[in-house]
């Protein structure tokens, strides 16, 4: 089977790899360079905590693949299962965490509840005012700058064609397949997989499938290195968006942080978002609540990127509702990084076998036409 994959971020490159591994003849077409869109702007969080319940089977599938990534892809993508801790500062958030932990237990997610003494003993320096925390020990982080290119190179070794800096001019459904005309030539295939991220809705609309999506950019930053090592990814349980910060420390000592500040507007043409410097002070106040030591550290860089946010914050994933042979996997609304390998594996299974062991029903594209 011939498959064209549109989009060279983590979703597209992972899909290309798993399709090629199942024997498909794959052509991946990317308008820029591999992994330079939403993937490289990502925080790098490998978390299951806080996900919509219907995403958890996919998140579990993906976590298993993250654990195999170095052996599977032949290079270290800096996946580290150092755990994910979410600090809690008020009774309402504690109740929210306990309700979520109870709801997710049947879905295979077991969260530890930590009290203040356990937090300070296991993770010194974090959230001195926290009244509790949740901890998921198997989660962690990976390097967004490495993963998409690692999948692309591994797919290429399996025979996939990776075409970069190719603007797509026209997509034609021929009745028995697809023809994609681009600045790097024309490509034909039996199936088309749309993994174009924030641009995915434009492709879907060409086939009569409308998706309510907004292009936004996260506010991200990184500090100079700190000598002390903070192993887990750190977040917060809160209903207040201004407090919703998160951070992780990379092995070189720098603290990567995000959250709290409003996501900036992003234009699909040319597809870039610029961090708002006015949001940095708000972010640092929120992050300092999680890690007070950050107040004495210099911020050396800030950035943003173009992500697609769907109205219900769930992705579009699965078969087209209008066109045989067309498949979608886009709109992961700022929380797709952990899901990436699982998305690629699930889409390859669906395309090549006409079935998928992971339930995808809540992500179908026609849900917006049914008032859901």
């Amino acid at each position: 089977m011939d498959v064209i994959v549109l989009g060279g971020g983590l979703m597209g490159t992972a899909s290309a790899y798993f399709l090629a591994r199942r024997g498909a003849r794959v052509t991946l077409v990317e308008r820029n360079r591999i992994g330079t869109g939403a993937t490289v702007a990502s925080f790098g969080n490998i978390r299951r905590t806080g996900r919509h319940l219907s995403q958890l089977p996919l998140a579990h599938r993906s976590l298993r693949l993250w654990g195999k990534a170095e052996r599977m892809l032949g290079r270290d993508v800096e996946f580290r299962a150092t755990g994910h801790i979410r600090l809690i500062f008020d009774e309402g958030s504690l109740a929210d965490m306990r309700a979520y932990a109870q709801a997710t237990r049947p879905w295979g997610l077991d969260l530890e509840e930590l009290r203040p003494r356990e937090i300070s003993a296991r993770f010194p320096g974090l959230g001195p005012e926290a009244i509790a925390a949740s901890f998921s020990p198997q989660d962690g982080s990976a390097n967004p700058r490495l993963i998409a290119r690692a999948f692309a190179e591994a797919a290429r070794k399996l025979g996939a064609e990776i075409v970069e800096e190719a603007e797509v001019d026209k997509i034609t459904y021929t009745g028995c397949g697809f023809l994609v005309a681009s600045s790097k030539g024309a490509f034909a295939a039996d199936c088309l997989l749309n993994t174009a991220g924030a641009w995915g809705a434009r492709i879907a609309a060409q086939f009569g499938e409308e998706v309510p999506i907004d292009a936004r950019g996260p506010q991200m930053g990184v500090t100079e290195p700190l000598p002390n090592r903070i192993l887990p990814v750190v977040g917060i349980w809160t209903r207040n968006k201004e407090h919703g910060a998160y951070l992780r420390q990379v092995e070189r000592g720098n603290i990567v942080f995000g959250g709290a500040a409003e996501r900036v507007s992003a234009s699909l043409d040319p597809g870039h978002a610029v961090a708002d410097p006015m949001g940095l002070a708000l972010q640092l106040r929120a992050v300092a609540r999680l890690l007070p030591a950050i107040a004495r550290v210099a911020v050396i860089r800030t950035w943003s990127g173009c992500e697609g946010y769907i109205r219900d914050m769930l992705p579009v994933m699965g078969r087209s509702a209008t066109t045989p042979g067309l498949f979608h996997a886009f709109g992961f609304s700022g929380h797709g990084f952990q899901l990436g390998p699982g998305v690629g594996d699930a889409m390859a299974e669906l395309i090549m076998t006409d079935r998928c062991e992971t339930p995808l029903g809540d992500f179908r594209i026609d849900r917006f036409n049914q008032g859901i």
Side-chain angles (χ1 to χ4, degrees), residues 4 92-93 105 185 275 325 338 359:
I4 295 171
S93 297
R105 197 165 292 118
Q338 190 274 347

Side-chain angles (χ1 to χ4, degrees), residues 14-15 67 71 88 128 212 230 246 259 338 358:
S15 296
R71 183 172 70 255
I88 300 165
I230 301 163
Y246 43 86
Q338 190 274 347
T358 301

Side-chain angles (χ1 to χ4, degrees), residues 216-221 257 259-266 272-284 299 301-305:
R216 309 285 291 176
Q219 294 267 77
M220 305 298 299
F257 62 89
E262 285 290 328
R263 298 181 179 96
V264 296
S265 296
H272 300 301
V274 179
D276 180 3
M278 300 302 293
L280 181 59
L282 177 64
Q283 278 189 312
L284 290 176
V299 175
R301 186 167 68 91
T302 61
W303 70 93
S304 187

Side-chain angles (χ1 to χ4, degrees), residues 16 22 30 33 54 76 111 146 168 201 206-207 219 233 277 297 307 347-348 354 359:
R22 285 179 177 267
E30 162 58 37
R33 302 288 291 178
S54 64
D76 180 13
L111 296 179
L146 300 178
V168 172
Q206 295 181 43
F207 297 92
Q219 294 267 77
V233 176
V297 180
E307 298 177 331
M347 293 308 299
D354 200 36

Side-chain angles (χ1 to χ4, degrees), residues 46-51 53 56 60 83-86 88 93-114 122 133-139 237:
I46 309 296
R47 67 161 178 88
R48 293 167 297 161
T49 306
R51 292 198 176 277
L53 295 181
L56 283 174
H60 295 324
H84 179 86
I85 186 171
R86 277 198 170 188
I88 300 165
S93 297
L94 178 58
D96 288 346
M97 185 278 287
R98 287 173 172 168
Y100 182 80
Q102 183 175 1
T104 56
R105 197 165 292 118
W107 294 79
L109 180 62
D110 291 318
L111 296 179
E112 297 179 34
E113 181 178 329
L114 307 181
R122 293 171 63 176
S134 69
F135 186 59
S136 179
Q138 295 177 323
D139 292 337
W237 286 96

Side-chain angles (χ1 to χ4, degrees), residues 104-364:
T104 56
R105 197 165 292 118
W107 294 79
L109 180 62
D110 291 318
L111 296 179
E112 297 179 34
E113 181 178 329
L114 307 181
R115 305 307 297 175
R117 184 175 297 178
E118 294 174 287
I119 298 170
S120 60
R122 293 171 63 176
F123 309 110
L126 292 183
E129 298 178 1
I131 63 171
S134 69
F135 186 59
S136 179
Q138 295 177 323
D139 292 337
S141 63
N143 192 330
R145 296 181 175 273
L146 300 178
I147 187 62
R149 189 153 292 280
F151 266 119
E153 289 301 320
R156 184 180 281 117
K157 291 177 182 177
L158 292 174
E161 183 180 5
I162 309 296
V163 185
E164 299 181 85
E165 297 182 320
E167 288 285 349
V168 172
D169 300 317
K170 186 178 182 181
I171 305 171
T172 304
Y173 176 60
T174 65
C176 59
F178 298 85
L179 182 65
V180 174
S182 81
S183 59
K184 291 286 185 75
F187 308 97
D190 309 298
C191 296
L192 180 71
L193 174 56
N194 169 19
T195 60
W199 294 264
R202 285 185 174 180
I203 294 171
Q206 295 181 43
F207 297 92
E209 299 181 293
E210 299 294 333
V211 176
I213 192 169
D214 293 312
R216 309 285 291 176
Q219 294 267 77
M220 305 298 299
V222 64
T223 73
E224 63 182 334
L226 274 72
N228 297 329
R229 186 79 171 99
I230 301 163
L231 288 176
V233 176
V234 185
I236 184 173
W237 286 96
T238 181
R239 300 174 187 176
N240 187 335
K241 289 184 178 181
E242 291 189 357
H243 294 163
Y246 43 86
L247 64 91
R248 66 182 180 94
Q249 188 173 26
V250 302
E251 293 176 0
R252 292 165 292 282
N254 310 76
I255 302 288
V256 181
F257 62 89
E262 285 290 328
R263 298 181 179 96
V264 296
S265 296
S267 171
L268 293 181
D269 299 306
H272 300 301
V274 179
D276 180 3
M278 300 302 293
L280 181 59
L282 177 64
Q283 278 189 312
L284 290 176
R285 284 196 298 271
V287 172
R289 198 180 189 200
L290 308 180
L291 180 67
I294 205 169
R296 302 185 296 275
V297 180
V299 175
I300 60 175
R301 186 167 68 91
T302 61
W303 70 93
S304 187
C306 188
E307 298 177 331
Y309 290 81
I310 293 179
R311 180 180 61 196
D312 60 8
M313 296 298 284
L314 292 176
V316 165
M317 195 174 164
R319 296 180 184 85
S320 164
T322 65
T323 310
L326 175 63
F327 298 84
H328 303 289
F330 69 90
F332 287 85
S333 304
H335 51 247
F337 187 76
Q338 190 274 347
L339 299 176
V343 170
D345 194 30
M347 293 308 299
E349 181 189 12
L350 179 62
I351 292 169
M352 298 299 289
T353 71
D354 200 36
R355 58 174 294 279
C356 184
E357 67 177 27
T358 301
L360 303 177
D362 280 6
F363 314 140
R364 66 190 187 277

Side-chain angles (χ1 to χ4, degrees), residues 72-95:
M72 187 170 63
L73 303 177
R75 64 178 296 185
D76 180 13
V77 294
E78 298 182 9
F79 169 66
R80 304 290 185 264
T82 53
H84 179 86
I85 186 171
R86 277 198 170 188
L87 300 171
I88 300 165
F89 293 90
D90 61 86
E91 293 295 336
S93 297
L94 178 58

